[in-house]
Amino acid sequence: MEQLTVGLGERSYPIWIGDTILTGLPEALRQIAFPKRIALVTNPVVGDLYAPALTEVLAGAGYRVSVIRLPDGEQYKTLDTLSLIYDELVALRFDRHTGLLALGGGVIGDMTGFAAATYLRGIPFVQVPTTLLSQVDSSVGGKTGVNHPRGKNLIGAFYQPRHVHIDVGVLQSLPDREYFAGLGEVVKYGIIRDQPFFVWLEEQQAALRDRETGALIHAVKRSCQIKADVVEEDEKEQGLRAILNLGHTFGHAIETLTGYGVIQHGEAVAIGMILAARTSCLMNLCTRADVARIEALLSGLHLPTAAPDFPADDYVAVMQHDKKVKSGTVRLVLNHGVGAAQLHDIDQPLPLMQQLLN
């Protein structure tokens, strides 16, 4: 088992990464003095696969566990669904000496974290991510929240978990499309901060496609370490942390325009990274060869690279609601070659979008 730490002073927390380590969760909870009364939040798919065994092992270690099941899918990442968590916690008489456990992908993790941040003004929670995307991205860093019909993740809070428990063994049960979607976020880390990792991903495409355990543990660990390093430097996204959003401004627009859940988040980010790379090339921040490498790697990992056919005006209208917009100016994270990235103001997004879509 591999271990990392997100160093945030008294709010620091460990990340455990390994294969078939779900049974070690009680020991992880004991080490952080987590409350003995827990609400395990999950969805029907993940809940059927893992909740009974996990509840049993926790009960055997003296934890009292109640299970809250939410509908499955990005389209349910809403305030209405969030209220279901609050309703259950109130009915169960959860107090400030209780905790939440998020068992699922990014939707479950984001909503559980936001519920933890706001219920009784804050109770502790732990992330047990079960998708590749949530293991390498959303479970680490403390971003929590829900979507709004006019934009993704517009309602939320920064609220760090107490522990992140990553079992790559559960990835074997993921449908192919969902698994490959998670690889989009893995590729992102190589593009924004680690050129040698990008090269490793190019070399290990077959192992990653086949879900080989060793390759998965390395990919997850390196991704989490890069994100932890960035979060430690800029927890509340005042500067550096914005680079973690490479491809996300375009990607969130794609998710909003197509309807939440139609295109998976990782797929939308993959397309968004291609659009960002092409923008970088137009601005002479990277070469055509860099764009080709990025596109080849994403395609090799079975990710889409073509933008959905919507008018440029529609893309720009949604991008204006992006969280990085400042004083009405759209700002994009753009790669500088492969291995570095920076936030850039885009003064004329409509002509840019028209050029990208032609």
Side-chain angles (χ1 to χ4, degrees), residues 150-152 247-260 268 275 308 310 314-320 322 353:
R150 298 188 67 179
K152 189 175 168 70
H248 283 60
T249 300
F250 292 118
H252 288 168
I254 290 168
E255 290 181 86
T256 301
L257 291 170
T258 56
Y260 296 130
L275 294 174
F310 292 98
D314 290 355
Y315 273 99
V316 173
V318 176
M319 289 163 65
Q320 292 285 356
D322 185 76
M353 203 67 225

Side-chain angles (χ1 to χ4, degrees), residues 191 246 250 273-288 290-291 294 332-337 340-342 344 346 352 356:
I191 298 173
L246 176 71
F250 292 118
M273 288 192 293
I274 295 297
L275 294 174
R278 291 175 183 167
T279 302
S280 294
C281 190
L282 290 172
M283 296 174 62
N284 295 315
L285 300 173
C286 75
T287 65
R288 290 184 180 180
D290 294 328
V291 179
I294 293 169
L332 298 176
V333 179
L334 300 177
N335 59 293
H336 292 201
Q342 191 172 317
H344 292 265
I346 306 298
L352 169 66
L356 292 174

Side-chain angles (χ1 to χ4, degrees), residues 151-357:
K152 189 175 168 70
N153 294 329
L154 294 183
I155 304 163
F158 288 98
Y159 192 70
Q160 301 293 342
R162 294 286 305 281
H163 171 70
V164 181
H165 203 82
I166 299 176
D167 187 340
V168 301
V170 305
L171 301 178
Q172 302 301 328
S173 66
L174 277 185
D176 284 346
R177 184 183 175 193
E178 192 169 354
Y179 170 75
F180 289 120
L183 289 172
E185 291 280 5
V186 175
V187 171
K188 175 193 76 178
Y189 289 108
I191 298 173
I192 64 171
R193 204 165 166 91
D194 192 341
Q195 195 264 352
F197 183 47
F198 187 91
V199 173
W200 182 87
L201 292 171
E202 290 177 311
E203 295 170 346
Q204 298 296 320
Q205 290 180 63
L208 291 168
R209 286 194 299 266
D210 293 340
R211 311 189 199 194
E212 292 183 8
T213 298
L216 279 174
I217 289 177
H218 179 76
V220 171
K221 181 182 180 183
R222 187 65 195 133
S223 298
C224 288
Q225 184 65 70
I226 292 170
K227 183 158 191 182
D229 291 344
V230 171
V231 170
E232 288 170 2
E233 197 168 329
D234 178 23
E235 181 183 2
K236 300 292 180 68
E237 200 169 306
Q238 300 301 305
L240 176 67
R241 185 168 177 168
I243 69 170
L244 297 173
N245 290 314
L246 176 71
H248 283 60
T249 300
F250 292 118
H252 288 168
I254 290 168
E255 290 181 86
T256 301
L257 291 170
T258 56
Y260 296 130
V262 174
I263 292 181
Q264 298 222 3
H265 176 67
E267 295 172 335
V269 168
I271 298 169
M273 288 192 293
I274 295 297
L275 294 174
R278 291 175 183 167
T279 302
S280 294
C281 190
L282 290 172
M283 296 174 62
N284 295 315
L285 300 173
C286 75
T287 65
R288 290 184 180 180
D290 294 328
V291 179
R293 283 181 72 191
I294 293 169
E295 190 162 1
L297 178 54
L298 292 171
S299 296
L301 296 174
H302 300 326
L303 284 157
T305 55
D309 187 18
F310 292 98
D313 302 68
D314 290 355
Y315 273 99
V316 173
V318 176
M319 289 163 65
Q320 292 285 356
H321 292 285
D322 185 76
K323 296 184 294 300
K324 293 181 293 301
V325 167
K326 184 176 182 180
S327 301
T329 299
V330 171
R331 300 192 295 170
L332 298 176
V333 179
L334 300 177
N335 59 293
H336 292 201
V338 173
Q342 191 172 317
L343 193 62
H344 292 265
D345 290 351
I346 306 298
D347 295 326
Q348 296 183 316
L350 182 56
L352 169 66
M353 203 67 225
Q354 290 170 333
Q355 189 172 359
L356 292 174
L357 296 175

